[in-house]
Amino acid sequence: MAEYAANSETPEVLFWVGCAGSFDQRAQKITKAFAQILEKVGVKFAILGKEEMCTGDPARRAGNEFLFQMMAYNNIQTLNGYGVKKIVTACPHCFNILKNEYPALGGEYEVIHHTTFLQQLINEGRIRLKEGGAFKGKKITYHDSCYLGRGNNIYEAPREVLQALDVELVEMKRCRTNGLCCGAGGAQMFKEEEKGNTRINFERSEEALETGANIIAANCPFCTTMLTDGVKNKEKEDDVKVMDIAEMVAQSLAD
Amino acid sequence: MQLIQQILFIIISGISIYLFARKVVEIRRNIMLGRKEDLTDNPGQRWKNMALLALGQKKMFKRPIPAILHLFVYVGFIIINIEILEIILDGITGQHRLFAPMLGSLYGILIGCFEILAVLVLAGCAIFLARRNIIKTPRLVQNELDGWPKNDANLILIMEIVLMTLFLAMNTADLVLQERGAEHYTVTDSFWITGMFTGLFSGLSDGTLIAIERGGWWLHIVGVFFFMNYLPYSKHFHIIVSFPNAYYMRLKKQGEMKNMPEIQNEVLYMMEPDKAPTDAAPAEPQRFGAKDVMDLSWKNLMDAYACTECGRCTAMCPANITGKKLSPRKIMMDTRDRLEEVGANVNKNKEFVEDGKTLVHDYITVEELRACTSCQACVEACPVSIDPLNIIYQLRRYLIMEESNSPEEWNLMFGNVENNMAPWKFSPDERDKWVSEMAEA
């Protein structure tokens, strides 16, 4: 973003990478896949790079409002400083907090989740997909993340992207508004689960495996990690892959 | 004799309406013990929510079978109350079936409809009893319902069955008396359901029939008055509170968490000291988050009275499904129990006197609060617009900010966010390392 600013240029969109997308090895692949799509399609995008900070979501959900407000203050200073208008992010937690919770603090932007962005690019014909791509006819189930689905009522955009890839979409019993959480939200990602009969990600992954799908499509770096662990727990990692929708699109781009 | 009945009726009605009103005023006062929250914006949307969610029971239909049975009981309850109007007017004036001459043949049709509804209510309640006690639908037999909550539910169902049976018995006896041309019994068209059962009573003497009819009439109306006064002490109070509860629901995305402007400002004044008001009187110190019911918003407290303990929230809760202690329904039940306790305390002492108990710890444990993934499944599932997650968030804020009560892993995460700007221990310099990796590839 600093480079664009130095050349007094404005990018089409700011890609908010998020902490998982920046540091987590698995999520970095999603980040790279999404960035690759944007480059290929010719979307002029920027990142904040080292100036990006945690949105404060895990702190806020855990109850640490002070820490959240500090993070939000700093991020809003940066974003407003650059005059950012439009943000795309591959993390539904960042998406939700930037879109719904930053405005009250003086950070008003058009915020869009990467699956919606991909759907728009496909509809506009900017993303061109291979005929008979790698996922054509493959049995795929889609896991609704809580903060994209129930949190923001986005259920169709990711499914439309999957339809564009010609996949055979099989739904889990608990889907859309009834979708079951992967177990990571509410800062659970950063601590052990409380005592119970099973782990939430095991429960959800088993449900996904029951559909007989070859791929579990996700839209969130945390869901991706949780479900991957759940699939491993059932020793199915050789047969069933957990993939972010951006990764699937990146592999299906026409030359 | 007639006059005594009239006077007795008026006295009983007066007392029950007074007692009911007194309890409702007390509950309103309890709700107002909560903190202020403005939920009056966009009235158009609010009326719409009330029409769809409360009146139209939109969310009930996520589970069609109980929804249809519930619809029978609900419609039956509302429509049959029109009959109560006649009963009350008869009671006061000493007339019998006051509306019959006015409505002519329409009267028989109306009563016929009421009777069909009465049968549907009977059937619905019988199936509901079976679901609770024989089929044992999981969400209706969970631990948190042991004791009073289960009895409460069964009692309501039995009461409704008794009321409907009395109504039908009364009409049957009435029809037989009409056929016999008994004095005082206005002749109407035959009623659709009870018309088929007059044979059952045809062998009885006029005196016995009058006793059945009068007994049915009196027990029915006294039962209704009892039911009305039982309501505010019961989970069944949802039939009233769900309406304002839908009206006042928060009109925001479910994913949005409520801001804390007091902390927002504190951070702002810390970062930009020149913006801090210099002459302002120090704000009244308010607890961060909620430790007890008085720290919650009035809407949270109204939620507690709207809860009918159906357990749809708990059945959808990922933590509860996987055997954790958290149950959103229990959060609501605990909030109401504690609020009732605080209310009784206020009644006794004029104002709340410290009783050494709080909602956190004494009612809701830290373990329950920690298990929440903030997935909003409970909020989505609730047919009467209750938001248990909102309460969980406020209790969590109290634990972290007032008690510093946090698992070690969260403390590490907080430290990382503060120092490394990410929840993990990575150097902030590596945040854009993926860019160079991508360029190399």
Side-chain angles (χ1 to χ4, degrees):
Chain A
M1 193 68 216
E3 282 171 40
Y4 275 100
N7 300 329
S8 3
E9 282 184 78
T10 342
E12 194 176 321
V13 65
L14 176 84
F15 173 24
W16 184 276
V17 185
C19 301
S22 300
F23 296 114
D24 180 82
Q25 281 196 332
R26 175 69 190 84
Q28 278 177 348
K29 291 185 186 159
I30 304 169
T31 306
K32 289 174 186 171
F34 185 60
Q36 184 202 332
I37 299 168
L38 296 180
E39 277 177 6
K40 172 102 184 180
V41 171
V43 173
K44 258 172 65 177
F45 73 99
I47 57 167
L48 286 180
K50 295 177 180 58
E51 289 181 280
E52 186 185 287
M53 295 182 188
C54 173
T55 58
D57 171 83
R60 185 172 231 196
R61 260 70 198 164
N64 194 335
E65 184 75 5
F66 273 103
L67 185 51
F68 159 74
Q69 294 281 354
M70 299 265 292
M71 304 314 289
Y73 176 87
N74 287 318
N75 281 321
I76 290 170
Q77 289 284 313
T78 310
L79 290 166
N80 289 356
Y82 286 122
V84 169
K85 298 272 182 303
K86 186 173 176 181
I87 301 176
V88 63
T89 176
C91 170
H93 296 269
C94 297
F95 166 72
N96 175 69
I97 209 160
L98 290 168
K99 181 173 192 286
N100 298 321
E101 298 176 16
Y102 272 33
L105 313 176
E108 297 203 35
Y109 323 101
E110 181 192 349
V111 188
I112 183 164
H113 186 253
H114 76 310
T115 54
T116 308
F117 198 63
L118 290 172
Q119 183 226 353
Q120 291 173 357
L121 291 174
I122 291 171
N123 286 355
E124 291 163 8
R126 290 177 75 181
I127 289 183
R128 287 184 306 112
L129 298 165
K130 268 188 259 188
E131 287 294 323
F135 304 102
K136 190 180 162 90
K138 280 253 173 78
K139 216 173 179 186
I140 284 166
T141 191
Y142 169 70
H143 167 79
D144 287 285
S145 68
C146 303
Y147 278 88
L148 195 62
R150 276 187 294 270
N152 288 284
N153 279 319
I154 299 177
Y155 300 104
E156 297 314 321
R159 286 181 170 80
E160 281 173 33
V161 175
L162 291 172
Q163 299 296 359
L165 297 174
D166 271 340
V167 307
E168 186 202 330
L169 186 63
V170 280
E171 294 287 357
M172 286 181 257
K173 211 174 125 213
R174 290 174 282 199
C175 65
R176 292 197 167 83
T177 55
N178 297 330
L180 184 76
C181 177
C182 73
Q188 298 294 341
M189 187 71 189
F190 307 99
K191 69 180 232 328
E192 259 312 306
E193 281 190 16
E194 321 304 318
K195 240 184 15 230
N197 313 325
T198 179
R199 288 171 178 275
I200 297 173
N201 60 329
F202 290 178
E203 167 91 12
R204 184 54 164 174
S205 303
E206 279 171 34
E207 188 177 4
L209 292 172
E210 277 164 22
T211 63
N214 314 103
I215 293 170
I216 304 170
N219 63 52
C220 168
F222 298 104
C223 298
T224 306
T225 303
M226 293 304 257
L227 295 173
T228 307
D229 287 348
V231 171
K232 272 190 197 147
N233 176 58
K234 283 270 148 185
E235 297 176 345
K236 291 277 187 200
E237 67 267 32
D238 293 333
D239 313 320
V240 179
K241 295 273 170 269
V242 183
M243 292 183 84
D244 189 275
I245 288 180
E247 296 178 294
M248 297 174 68
V249 171
Q251 287 186 20
S252 311
L253 292 176
D255 295 316
Chain B
M1 179 65 192
Q2 187 58 48
L3 195 65
I4 297 170
Q5 280 198 36
Q6 275 170 260
I7 294 168
L8 196 60
F9 178 82
I10 291 169
I11 293 172
I12 292 177
S13 324
I15 293 174
S16 11
I17 291 168
Y18 169 73
L19 289 175
F20 175 72
R22 201 178 65 169
K23 182 66 186 171
V24 169
V25 168
E26 185 192 312
I27 286 176
R28 187 177 177 280
R29 190 232 25 222
N30 287 354
I31 290 173
M32 298 319 253
L33 292 174
R35 284 186 187 168
K36 288 197 183 79
E37 180 176 0
D38 183 17
L39 294 167
T40 52
D41 59 311
N42 201 348
Q45 183 61 43
R46 294 186 178 280
W47 284 109
K48 204 174 136 194
N49 286 344
M50 194 165 95
L52 279 176
L53 295 166
L55 192 67
Q57 309 191 6
K58 189 176 158 207
K59 284 202 173 174
M60 286 293 287
F61 282 87
K62 278 197 160 191
R63 293 169 186 259
I65 294 171
I68 288 169
L69 295 172
H70 183 266
L71 189 70
F72 290 161
V73 179
Y74 165 72
V75 174
F77 180 83
I78 290 183
I79 308 271
I80 293 169
N81 272 333
I82 301 174
E83 168 70 4
I84 302 275
L85 182 69
E86 186 187 43
I87 291 182
I88 289 176
L89 291 176
D90 280 351
I92 295 171
T93 60
Q95 303 271 341
H96 187 69
R97 296 200 182 269
L98 185 67
F99 292 164
M102 296 181 215
L103 297 173
S105 59
L106 188 63
Y107 186 80
I109 295 171
L110 267 179
I111 300 288
C113 292
F114 296 161
E115 289 190 344
I116 289 173
L117 283 166
V119 171
L120 290 176
V121 172
L122 264 175
C125 290
I127 298 171
F128 281 151
L129 273 177
R131 282 166 60 87
R132 281 181 184 271
N133 301 290
I134 301 167
I135 306 168
K136 296 196 188 291
T137 306
R139 70 182 160 91
L140 303 177
V141 294
Q142 273 171 304
N143 290 342
E144 69 249 33
L145 297 180
D146 286 348
W148 166 244
K150 274 185 189 164
N151 296 339
D152 183 20
N154 286 330
L155 200 61
I156 293 159
L157 292 169
I158 292 166
M159 234 189 288
E160 296 201 40
I161 288 175
V162 169
L163 285 177
M164 291 306 119
T165 311
L166 288 169
F167 174 67
L168 293 171
M170 174 182 95
N171 280 357
T172 315
D174 198 299
L175 281 178
V176 179
L177 287 164
Q178 286 180 33
E179 279 167 21
R180 294 187 190 168
E183 191 197 345
H184 197 64
Y185 284 89
T186 317
V187 176
T188 64
D189 292 340
S190 182
F191 305 139
W192 295 347
I193 303 283
T194 50
M196 295 188 278
F197 293 95
T198 48
L200 283 179
F201 285 178
S202 57
L204 302 176
S205 71
D206 281 8
T208 317
L209 285 172
I210 291 176
I212 292 176
E213 194 279 328
R214 284 290 86 194
W217 190 93
W218 271 103
L219 283 172
H220 183 72
I221 192 65
V222 170
V224 167
F225 284 141
F226 176 78
F227 191 73
M228 181 171 85
N229 275 288
Y230 178 76
L231 269 187
Y233 297 90
S234 154
K235 78 186 196 77
H236 209 55
F237 202 40
H238 81 289
I239 62 171
I240 294 172
V241 187
S242 57
F243 286 84
N245 215 49
Y247 183 86
Y248 289 113
M249 72 184 279
R250 296 182 184 84
L251 304 179
K252 58 170 184 62
K253 286 273 162 53
Q254 253 165 218
E256 183 183 333
M257 191 167 163
K258 202 167 171 265
N259 190 31
M260 293 181 73
E262 63 273 34
I263 296 184
Q264 181 192 345
N265 285 332
E266 203 152 318
V267 169
L268 179 71
Y269 304 152
M270 188 172 72
M271 308 303 273
E272 301 175 43
D274 53 306
K275 286 201 178 149
T278 43
D279 52 347
E284 208 168 292
Q286 209 183 16
R287 188 174 279 141
F288 292 133
K291 178 185 188 183
D292 209 342
V293 285
M294 300 78 98
D295 305 325
L296 293 168
S297 137
W298 67 271
K299 178 62 169 69
N300 299 132
L301 303 183
M302 190 158 85
D303 277 356
Y305 281 110
C307 178
T308 192
E309 301 164 15
C310 71
R312 282 168 172 76
C313 51
T314 296
M316 299 304 284
C317 172
N320 195 275
I321 288 170
T322 55
K324 278 85 182 175
K325 280 198 181 141
L326 174 64
S327 160
R329 165 170 57 189
K330 181 177 169 291
I331 300 281
M332 300 320 300
M333 292 167 68
D334 286 341
T335 304
R336 177 165 175 177
D337 288 348
R338 173 61 184 156
L339 182 55
E340 283 284 304
E341 187 178 53
V342 168
N345 182 318
V346 174
N347 286 347
K348 199 173 136 205
N349 305 309
K350 296 269 189 292
E351 57 177 355
F352 179 68
V353 174
E354 210 49 65
D355 61 356
K357 286 198 236 171
T358 54
L359 181 62
V360 192
H361 302 306
D362 294 306
Y363 284 80
I364 301 171
T365 61
V366 174
E367 182 177 345
E368 291 166 65
L369 296 170
R370 288 278 158 69
C372 175
T373 69
S374 77
C375 77
Q376 314 136 49
C378 54
V379 190
E380 181 77 43
C382 183
V384 295
S385 323
I386 295 171
D387 187 345
L389 178 58
N390 190 289
I391 297 181
I392 295 173
Y393 278 150
Q394 293 180 67
L395 301 181
R396 274 188 173 186
R397 279 171 166 168
Y398 164 75
L399 285 178
I400 297 289
M401 291 190 285
E402 297 273 354
E403 285 192 0
S404 302
N405 185 340
S406 166
E408 196 42 42
E409 301 137 293
W410 273 1
N411 284 333
L412 283 174
M413 181 263 285
F414 296 151
N416 288 330
V417 170
E418 196 172 348
N419 300 315
N420 306 326
M421 288 59 147
W424 300 285
K425 205 175 172 69
F426 287 106
S427 159
D429 279 340
E430 288 178 17
R431 190 173 270 274
D432 52 0
K433 210 173 118 197
W434 61 273
V435 179
S436 48
E437 284 173 12
M438 216 174 136
E440 283 162 23

